[in-house]
């Protein structure tokens, strides 16, 4: 199961792997149970925060936690059983210890739930009928199976995402999550 939260900076929701700017974790803190999650941060200090977060995660035992790219985005490939999975207790402990390095301490933006709800409704209207509503905290949680309509590599998903990403926080510009791989 890919758990993704869209938040302001580095890693969180969604899933949007092929979602050129999906929404998801916190600048935050992207967690994905399967596939790849990406979250991007906004200006220079956000990029520095994302890098500090990445270094902190590695220092706390998540040795394969990636650095942000030149755009301040962190891409996480978290397949089933991966230490990068948000369901992993070691990941959760590292995230708790490191999230203070993120803007707003990794908290999702206030408008996250409303934005993700609009996004989910749009995705369903564009043919992704089993796209879930956000959880109470505003984050999205999906289960993507290769070739399924929730697979961000599926052309139907990509098309729906292109039509709907405008509903994500900041039009999907602050965070993008990508999710691929198999879920359970």
């Amino acid at each position: 199961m890919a758990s993704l939260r869209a938040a302001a900076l580095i890693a969180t929701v969604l899933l949007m792997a092929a979602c050129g700017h999906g929404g998801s974790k916190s600048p935050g803190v992207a967690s994905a149970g399967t596939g790849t999650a990406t979250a991007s941060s906004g200006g220079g200090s956000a990029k520095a925060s994302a890098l500090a977060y990445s270094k902190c995660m590695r220092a706390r035992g998540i040795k394969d936690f990636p650095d942000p790219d030149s755009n301040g985005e962190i891409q996480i490939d978290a397949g089933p059983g991966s230490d990068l999975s948000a369901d992993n207790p070691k990941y959760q402990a590292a995230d708790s210890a490191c999230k203070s390095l993120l803007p707003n301490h990794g908290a999702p933006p206030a408008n996250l739930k409303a934005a993700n709800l609009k996004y989910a409704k749009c995705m369903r209207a564009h043919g992704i009928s089993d796209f879930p509503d956000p959880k109470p905290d505003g984050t999205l949680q999906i289960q993507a199976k290769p070739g399924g309509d929730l697979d961000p590599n599926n052309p139907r998903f990509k098309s729906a995402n292109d039509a709907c990403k405008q509903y994500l926080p900041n039009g999907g510009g602050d965070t993008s999550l990508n999710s691929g791989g198999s879920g359970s």
Side-chain angles (χ1 to χ4, degrees), residues 83-177:
D83 68 338
L84 296 171
S85 173
D87 297 332
N88 178 336
K90 190 172 183 180
Y91 179 95
Q92 292 171 354
D95 177 53
S96 290
C98 300
K99 73 170 67 181
S100 66
L101 298 170
L102 297 171
N104 295 327
H105 300 285
N111 66 340
L112 180 64
K113 186 172 184 179
N116 280 342
L117 182 58
K118 287 180 184 177
Y119 177 77
K121 287 179 179 179
C122 181
M123 292 293 284
R124 290 190 295 267
H126 284 86
I128 310 300
S129 61
D130 56 345
F131 197 92
D133 279 340
K135 298 181 345 182
D137 67 356
T139 63
L140 291 170
Q141 190 170 43
I142 63 158
Q143 184 175 20
K145 295 182 180 170
D149 67 349
L150 291 175
D151 179 353
N153 297 311
N154 181 318
R156 284 190 335 160
F157 183 94
K158 288 180 180 182
S159 177
N161 179 67
D162 286 344
C164 301
K165 64 185 174 185
Q166 72 207 29
Y167 295 112
L168 292 169
N170 295 318
D174 265 1
T175 358
S176 75
L177 289 177

Side-chain angles (χ1 to χ4, degrees), residues 4-5 7 22 26 30 36 40-41 49 58-60 71 89 92-93 98 114 124 151 156-157 169 177:
L4 315 169
R5 299 181 267 202
S26 189
T36 303
S40 101
S41 28
S49 292
R58 288 192 297 271
R60 294 203 169 41
N71 295 318
Q92 292 171 354
C98 300
R124 290 190 295 267
D151 179 353
R156 284 190 335 160
F157 183 94
L177 289 177

